[in-house]
């Protein structure tokens, strides 16, 4: 009951214990019970001072005011009641629904990287330790693969020139080579019989004969005239010129020793010029030995007379004839003409 009173009425255990204390019937004031119509004393209500006074506006008011009674002695504390049975355990309430998990908050911004601290001072270098004992020599490893050939090095400087070796012995003289082909026939001649002019003759390498009269007082001094005409030998190899009066005689000698001549004239004027009549053709010279030639294979000092000229030979003429004789392997002199070379 005491437990139930605590639960239902809200009384504390001491109050409940006081209510359960036995009271003596004679010790209570008559007005303390509130059974009459008089109002209770302000300081005594049902034996408790000031519980139901007028200031408290108790609903159980009476019309009479009783005298203020003495406070009764406190009753003995009653025995503690037996502990009531433990009530049945109430049903377990339903488990509430689990609340939804809140959204994950945004990741905060990464803080700025702090400044790098100053580098500390380098510590002092420790003392060098003692050199350890030399270890045993290890086994020789396997020979590695041959490496790639390196680039060719730069060319070294040229060494000093060695001493000149001794001159070797002179070799044996080689055999005489074959005689080469005859060279081109080239010849020139001139003749001056007057103070103002000079006759000229030229044989070019292609075998063509040219003539001219050089006038010393004219500009240009002369003009070459092509002497090619009927019966001109194709194998002419030497040429001469001679002037007498206004007549100019040209003579050529061929490679086989034949002599041919042609007559032209001089036309006086300023300048004087050479004129050759087309009807004046090349003819064999009249002073040739009939039936003979000047070829080296057919000449004989005893059977051939000297080649005679129709005019005195000049120094140039003699030089030209000597050159011609030499080219043919012959000798030439004004007295004997062309003769075979003598061999000692």
């Amino acid at each position: 009951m005491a437990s139930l009173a605590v639960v239902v009425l809200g009384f504390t255990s001491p109050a409940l214990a006081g209510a359960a204390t036995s009271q003596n019937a004679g010790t209570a004031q008559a007005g303390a019970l509130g059974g009459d119509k008089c109002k209770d004393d302000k300081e005594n209500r049902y034996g408790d001072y000031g519980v139901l006074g007028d200031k408290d506006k108790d609903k159980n008011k009476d019309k009479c005011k009783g005298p203020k009674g003495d406070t009764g002695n406190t009753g003995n504390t009653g025995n503690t009641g037996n502990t009531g049975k433990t009530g049945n355990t109430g049903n377990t309430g339903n488990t509430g629904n689990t609340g939804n998990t809140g959204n994950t908050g945004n990741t905060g911004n990464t803080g700025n990287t702090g400044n790098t601290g100053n580098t500390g001072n380098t510590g002092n270098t420790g003392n060098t330790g003692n050199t350890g004992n030399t270890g045993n020599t290890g086994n020789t490893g396997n020979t590695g693969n041959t490496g790639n050939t390196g680039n060719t090095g730069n060319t070294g400087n040229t060494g000093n020139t060695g001493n000149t070796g001794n001159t070797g012995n002179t070799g044996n003289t080689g055999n005489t080579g074959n005689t080469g082909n005859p060279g081109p026939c080239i010849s020139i001649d001139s003749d001056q019989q007057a103070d103002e002019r000079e006759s000229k003759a030229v044989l070019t390498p292609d075998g063509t004969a040219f003539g001219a009269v050089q006038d010393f007082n004219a500009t240009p001094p002369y003009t070459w005239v092509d002497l090619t005409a009927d019966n001109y030998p194709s194998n002419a190899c030497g040429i001469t010129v001679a002037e007498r009066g206004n007549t100019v005689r040209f003579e050529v000698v061929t490679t086989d020793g034949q002599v041919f001549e042609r007559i032209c004239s001089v036309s006086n004027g300023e300048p004087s010029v050479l004129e050759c009549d087309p009807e004046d053709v090349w003819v064999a010279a009249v002073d040739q030995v009939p039936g003979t030639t000047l070829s080296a294979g057919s000449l004989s000092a005893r059977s051939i007379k000297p080649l005679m000229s129709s005019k005195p030979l000049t120094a140039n003429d003699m030089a030209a004839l000597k050159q011609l004789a030499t080219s043919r392997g012959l000798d030439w002199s004004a007295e004997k003409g062309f003769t075979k070379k003598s061999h000692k």
Side-chain angles (χ1 to χ4, degrees):
M1 291 297 290
S3 300
L4 182 61
V6 171
V7 173
V8 175
L9 298 179
F11 291 155
T12 63
S13 296
L16 180 61
T21 303
S22 64
Q23 301 286 333
N24 292 324
T27 61
Q29 296 293 333
L33 298 174
D36 56 10
K37 296 180 181 180
C38 296
K39 293 182 180 180
D40 294 327
D41 186 76
K42 295 179 183 179
E43 295 179 357
N44 187 5
R45 297 176 302 162
Y46 303 103
D48 292 333
Y49 180 72
V51 174
L52 296 176
D54 289 340
K55 292 182 179 181
D56 296 331
K57 295 180 182 183
D58 186 38
K59 292 180 180 182
N60 294 323
K61 297 178 181 180
D62 56 17
K63 298 179 180 180
C64 296
K65 241 181 210 185
K68 183 176 179 182
D70 298 329
T71 303
N73 297 324
T74 302
N76 297 325
T77 302
N79 297 326
T80 302
N82 297 325
T83 302
K85 295 179 179 181
T86 303
N88 296 328
T89 302
N91 296 328
T92 303
N94 295 328
T95 303
N97 295 329
T98 303
N100 295 329
T101 302
N103 295 328
T104 303
N106 295 328
T107 303
N109 295 327
T110 303
N112 295 328
T113 303
N115 295 329
T116 302
N118 295 328
T119 303
N121 295 328
T122 303
N124 295 327
T125 303
N127 295 328
T128 302
N130 295 328
T131 303
N133 295 329
T134 303
N136 296 328
T137 302
N139 296 328
T140 302
N142 296 327
T143 302
N145 296 328
T146 303
N148 296 328
T149 302
N151 296 328
T152 303
N154 296 328
T155 302
N157 297 327
T158 303
N160 296 327
T161 303
N163 296 328
T164 303
N166 296 326
T167 304
N169 297 327
T170 303
N172 297 328
T173 303
N175 297 327
T176 303
N178 297 327
T179 302
N181 296 325
C185 294
I186 304 173
S187 181
I188 187 171
D189 190 23
S190 62
D191 183 21
Q192 183 177 352
Q193 296 293 329
D195 294 336
E196 294 183 359
R197 68 173 185 256
E198 181 179 58
S199 299
K200 291 181 174 293
V202 170
L203 184 64
T204 59
D206 63 356
T208 304
F210 291 91
V213 172
Q214 181 179 0
D215 191 332
F216 300 136
N217 297 326
T219 302
Y222 57 89
T223 301
W224 291 107
V225 176
D226 188 348
L227 298 178
T228 303
D230 290 343
N231 206 32
Y232 177 73
S234 61
N235 58 343
C237 200
I239 192 169
T240 63
V241 61
E243 179 185 351
R244 183 61 60 91
N246 290 331
T247 300
V248 181
R249 182 192 303 266
F250 297 98
E251 291 183 330
V252 295
V253 59
T254 63
T255 56
D256 58 6
Q258 296 292 325
V259 178
F260 291 84
E261 64 180 20
R262 183 182 183 188
I263 304 299
C264 296
S265 61
V266 176
S267 177
N268 293 320
E270 293 297 336
S272 297
V273 295
L274 178 67
E275 294 182 349
C276 296
D277 190 333
E279 295 182 359
D280 292 335
V281 298
W282 289 90
V283 296
V286 295
D287 54 356
Q288 289 187 90
V289 178
T292 64
T293 65
L294 297 178
S295 61
S298 62
L299 290 179
S300 172
R302 291 172 296 179
S303 61
I304 299 178
K305 294 181 180 180
L307 178 64
M308 302 302 294
S309 174
S310 59
K311 63 182 181 64
L313 296 176
T314 65
N316 290 337
D317 293 337
M318 290 189 289
L321 290 173
K322 287 182 179 180
Q323 182 179 5
L324 176 61
T326 301
S327 66
R328 296 302 176 180
L330 303 174
D331 289 325
W332 183 88
S333 66
E335 294 79 14
K336 297 181 179 180
F338 292 99
T339 58
K340 288 186 177 180
K341 284 185 177 291
S342 60
H343 299 280
K344 295 182 180 179

